[in-house]
């Protein structure tokens, strides 16, 4: 692998992003660059603001301070409507899928293409069928989201997010709550999407297996800041106490019990 | 005492804030109406839900109110020998007040609450964020079809409630209480004018707007969790009831003066 300096220009650049939710300061000045074509894994404690960070990258949340650059635009300066065209280049997989209840599985997956327009009904159905086959849910078009298990919802949501082939894909805990086999298939799918379609991916997870397998680089979010960014090998073998504890799942709970 | 004043102040600020948000929501809807093509499929679905599916409850509401109102009037007017005056009294009351107000209350309960609950659920399950992430402006996709459907449906439903009320009043007065039908109907026609019908329809239009804006506002601003959905739902109904009733008072004077 070439050295980081010679790699592509950043597609997303966060500069000093701060965000307060209620009284809690979730992000305290996040600086992070995501390069074109890379798969960036963000790890960190639950409730540590990883999802919030992800939502800033796509403009679903606006920072209280700092800048969020997507290509040459600062998302923090744009209105909701000005963000709409930029979002045509991005896709996001939500934690629980966030499928539209009022649409069938097939219509959910077809949604981005229908919105884009310029595609015949026949081609659309073929694309949906293909996408569902890729996420290993063939012939489920006519089911409703409420009839699916959590894992299936997530895979449908992945199909929906990826079907329009966005330049940037954001995954919010893509493998949480899935069995190891399905997790592995999702990991492989994320890698393939990245490689075959040249997608840039940002993956928020606390699944270390997934982080090791998928990530080109891993960033650790700790106490509202990016604590370290490096290649998976370096991060996962780090001797730094905070990183080491997180990566190996060592709690600092006291010995006392109830 | 200071605490009481503080709470009152907070309530008042909360109300102002809500009013501001509702005005912005309305402005946003207007902008989206001009900027984006109308989604006919969603519009038809909403008209079916808001309009068509409300027909039975509106018929029952209008019919029975007209019936009891005619009966009560007749009991009182009989002593004065004015039984045939029941017709215009029922007709005018139905057109100007009972039809639009009761119809609006029914729709606030049936449709406004459902709207708030649906939007609140979409919000807490991140479906609205998903919509935004898929490059769709939520107001345009979710609110505009509901707005148009409400604006189309409610005046028609009010008209239906009025007709059913007048019809049921006629039936009760003429067929049950034996008021002479010809006099009853002649008086009804003589003392009821276009103005009365217009007042009803215009009120219906504005009540629809109130129900829609409050339902959508409460849904879109729901707090997290199942509790947030429940709260949004009840608040949408209670607030819509109160605002409709208060607004009705002012509309009564305003419309009487200008129409």
């Amino acid at each position: 692998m070439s050295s980081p300096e010679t790699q592509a220009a950043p597609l997303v650049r966060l500069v000093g992003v701060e965000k307060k939710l209620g009284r809690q300061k979730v992000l305290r000045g996040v600086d992070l660059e995501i390069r074109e074509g890379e798969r960036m894994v963000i790890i960190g404690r639950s409730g540590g603001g990883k999802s919030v960070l992800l939502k800033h990258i796509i403009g679903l949340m606006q920072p209280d301070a700092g800048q969020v650059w997507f290509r040459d635009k600062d998302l923090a300066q744009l209105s909701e409507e000005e963000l709409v065209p930029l979002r045509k280049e991005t896709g996001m997989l939500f934690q629980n899928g966030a499928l539209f209840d009022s649409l069938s599985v097939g219509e959910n997956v077809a949604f981005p293409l229908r919105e884009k327009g310029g595609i015949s009904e026949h081609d659309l159905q073929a694309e949906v069928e293909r996408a569902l086959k890729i996420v290993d849910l063939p012939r489920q078009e006519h089911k409703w989201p409420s009839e699916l298990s959590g894992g299936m919802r997530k895979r449908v949501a992945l199909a929906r997010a990826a079907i329009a082939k966005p330049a940037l894909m954001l995954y919010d805990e893509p493998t949480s709550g899935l069995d190891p086999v399905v997790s592995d298939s999702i990991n492989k799918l994320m890698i393939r999407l990245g490689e075959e379609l040249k997608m840039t991916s940002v993956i928020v997870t606390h699944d270390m297996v997934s982080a090791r397998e998928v990530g080109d680089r891993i960033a650790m979010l700790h106490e509202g800041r990016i604590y370290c960014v490096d290649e998976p090998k370096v991060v996962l073998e780090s001797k730094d106490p905070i990183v080491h504890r997180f990566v190996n799942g060592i709690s600092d709970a006291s010995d006392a019990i109830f | 005492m200071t605490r009481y004043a503080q709470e009152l102040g907070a309530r008042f600020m909360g109300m102002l804030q809500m009013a501001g948000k509702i005005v912005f929501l309305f402005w946003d809807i207007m902008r989206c109406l001009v900027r984006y093509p109308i989604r006919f499929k969603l519009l038809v679905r909403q008209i079916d839900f808001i309009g068509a599916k409300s027909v039975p409850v509106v018929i029952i509401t209008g019919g029975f109110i007209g019936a009891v109102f005619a009966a009560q009037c007749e009991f009182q007017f009989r002593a004065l020998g004015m039984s045939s005056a029941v017709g215009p009294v029922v007709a005018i009351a139905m057109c100007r007040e009972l039809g639009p107000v009761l119809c609006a209350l029914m729709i606030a309960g049936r449709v406004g609450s459902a709207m708030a609950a649906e939007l609140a659920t979409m919000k807490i399950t991140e479906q609205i964020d998903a919509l935004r992430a898929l490059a769709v402006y939520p107001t345009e996709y979710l609110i505009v079809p509901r707005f148009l459907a409400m604006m189309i449906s409610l005046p028609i439903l009010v008209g239906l409630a009025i007709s059913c009320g007048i019809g049921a009043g006629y039936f009760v007065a003429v067929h049950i209480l034996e008021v002479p039908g010809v006099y009853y109907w002649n008086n009804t026609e003589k003392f009821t004018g276009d103005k009365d019908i217009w007042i009803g329809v215009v009120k219906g239009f504005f009540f629809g707007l109130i129900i829609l804006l409050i339902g959508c506002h409460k849904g879109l601003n729901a707090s997290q969790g199942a509790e947030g959905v429940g709260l949004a739902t009840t608040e949408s109904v209670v607030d819509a009831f109160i605002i409709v009733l208060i607004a009705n008072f002012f509309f009564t004077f305003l419309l009487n003066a200008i129409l």
Side-chain angles (χ1 to χ4, degrees):
Chain A
M1 201 185 220
S2 54
S3 71
E5 287 74 23
T6 61
Q7 282 188 346
L11 180 69
V12 177
R13 197 155 58 88
L14 291 100
V15 185
V17 171
E18 289 178 24
K19 183 73 179 176
K20 228 165 134 181
L21 288 182
R23 295 211 175 139
Q24 200 196 355
K25 206 158 190 189
V26 184
L27 302 179
R28 299 160 180 265
V30 172
D31 299 298
L32 185 64
E33 281 189 2
I34 294 152
R35 301 180 193 125
E36 192 120 34
E38 80 170 336
R39 289 187 298 278
M40 164 72 82
V41 173
I42 300 174
I43 58 173
R45 302 281 293 269
S46 300
K50 302 190 298 296
S51 300
V52 172
L53 181 61
L54 209 57
K55 285 185 179 172
H56 278 84
I57 296 177
I58 194 173
L60 291 178
M61 281 186 175
Q62 295 282 13
D64 296 335
Q67 297 143 16
V68 181
W69 294 91
F70 179 76
R71 299 227 163 90
D72 54 351
K73 292 209 169 69
D74 181 6
L75 302 191
Q77 304 297 328
L78 300 180
S79 74
E80 181 70 26
E81 270 186 306
E82 288 167 326
L83 284 167
V84 167
L86 290 180
R87 291 199 186 119
K88 294 206 164 120
E89 294 187 68
T90 57
M92 177 158 179
L93 173 65
F94 286 85
Q95 220 169 94
N96 294 309
L99 298 179
F100 302 131
D101 299 324
S102 56
L103 300 178
S104 68
V105 165
E107 283 302 306
N108 261 290
V109 177
F111 190 89
L113 295 181
R114 251 190 227 294
E115 282 302 311
K116 218 181 197 176
I119 182 169
S120 73
E121 193 58 26
H122 180 263
D123 291 352
L124 187 77
Q125 292 312 329
E127 278 290 305
V128 170
E129 204 174 299
R130 206 173 66 88
L132 283 173
K133 211 180 267 168
I134 292 172
V135 294
D136 205 15
L137 288 167
R139 289 183 298 285
Q140 307 282 318
E141 287 96 326
H142 302 296
K143 283 204 174 156
W144 291 89
S146 54
E147 297 171 316
L148 302 180
S149 73
M152 288 160 94
R153 280 161 165 258
K154 212 164 235 183
R155 283 183 280 156
V156 173
L158 180 55
R160 180 178 72 180
I163 196 165
K165 305 187 175 84
L168 171 68
M169 265 292 275
L170 309 175
Y171 304 87
D172 195 354
E173 307 205 358
T175 57
S176 74
L178 302 182
D179 70 58
V181 179
V182 177
S183 294
D184 186 57
S185 73
I186 298 256
N187 289 341
K188 292 205 168 105
L189 200 57
M190 288 193 286
I191 296 172
R192 269 182 47 208
L193 285 173
E195 282 172 358
E196 287 171 21
L197 301 175
K198 305 265 179 298
M199 273 182 202
T200 309
S201 321
V202 183
I203 302 130
V204 155
T205 185
H206 28 224
D207 175 353
M208 285 306 133
V209 178
S210 175
R212 185 195 306 266
E213 208 173 307
V214 179
D216 290 327
R217 289 197 300 161
I218 296 182
M220 182 166 167
L221 186 68
H222 181 69
E223 294 186 339
R225 286 195 185 85
I226 296 295
Y227 190 75
C228 64
V229 193
D230 220 321
E231 284 170 31
K233 216 171 69 191
V234 182
V235 174
L236 296 175
E237 286 164 13
S238 168
K239 291 281 178 285
D240 182 281
I242 291 171
V243 180
H244 179 77
R245 276 191 128 118
F246 183 83
V247 167
N248 294 291
I250 304 164
S251 77
D252 52 0
S254 69
D255 294 333
I257 56 165
F258 303 104
Chain B
M1 189 65 198
T2 28
R3 220 170 119 199
Y4 185 70
Q6 265 176 354
E7 189 150 310
L8 211 67
R11 277 269 174 98
F12 183 68
M13 292 307 284
M15 262 167 63
L16 275 187
Q17 221 168 34
M18 177 174 142
K21 278 186 178 170
I22 286 178
V23 170
F24 275 116
L25 179 63
F26 181 65
W27 176 238
D28 209 20
I29 294 172
M30 291 295 120
R31 251 177 6 138
C32 287
L33 270 176
V34 181
R35 263 189 217 176
Y36 299 93
I38 291 166
R39 293 174 186 263
F40 281 101
K41 221 172 121 190
L42 294 179
L43 178 60
V44 169
R45 194 191 291 171
Q46 289 299 330
I47 289 181
D48 174 53
F49 175 68
I50 296 174
K53 293 214 164 78
S54 298
V55 166
V57 290
V58 167
I59 289 178
I60 292 170
T61 311
F64 277 91
I65 283 295
V68 293
F69 196 63
Q72 291 290 6
C73 287
E74 209 278 335
F75 299 156
Q76 306 303 320
F77 286 6
R78 190 189 298 162
L80 304 169
M82 288 172 58
S83 288
S84 59
V86 171
V89 172
V90 170
I92 288 174
M94 281 309 299
C95 286
R96 290 183 166 220
E97 300 294 338
L98 297 174
V101 170
L102 291 172
C103 181
L105 297 188
M106 217 58 213
I107 299 302
R110 207 193 81 85
V111 176
S113 59
M115 242 177 225
E118 193 182 356
L119 293 173
T121 307
M122 287 190 77
K123 188 184 172 206
I124 66 165
T125 55
E126 294 187 308
Q127 289 178 55
I128 292 183
D129 275 347
L131 206 56
R132 295 166 64 200
L134 290 166
V136 175
Y137 192 51
T139 309
E140 176 254 327
Y141 186 85
L142 292 173
I143 313 297
V144 168
R146 285 173 168 79
F147 169 80
L148 289 174
M150 183 66 103
M151 295 295 99
I152 293 168
S153 303
L154 207 58
I156 296 174
L157 290 173
V158 166
L160 185 66
I162 292 172
S163 329
C164 290
I166 294 174
Y170 179 86
F171 179 80
V172 168
V174 174
H175 292 284
I176 298 179
L177 300 170
E178 296 175 341
V179 177
V182 182
Y183 290 124
Y184 184 97
W185 193 247
N186 272 346
N187 281 339
T188 303
E189 283 189 332
K190 195 164 146 195
F191 293 105
T192 320
D194 289 349
K195 179 175 173 176
D196 302 300
I197 293 165
W198 276 114
I199 288 178
V201 173
V202 170
K203 276 185 176 179
F205 185 83
F206 283 103
F207 293 165
L209 186 63
I210 292 171
I211 296 166
L212 175 108
L213 288 175
I214 291 178
C216 291
H217 166 80
K218 291 288 176 192
L220 293 174
N221 290 285
S223 50
Q224 289 299 315
E227 201 189 344
V229 177
L231 206 63
T233 313
T234 40
E235 278 185 356
S236 76
V237 177
V238 174
D239 289 9
F241 269 33
I242 289 174
I243 296 177
V244 162
L245 290 174
I246 295 173
N248 181 51
F249 173 79
F250 293 103
F251 277 129
T252 295
F253 283 93
L254 186 71
L255 293 175
N256 194 50
I258 60 174
L259 278 178

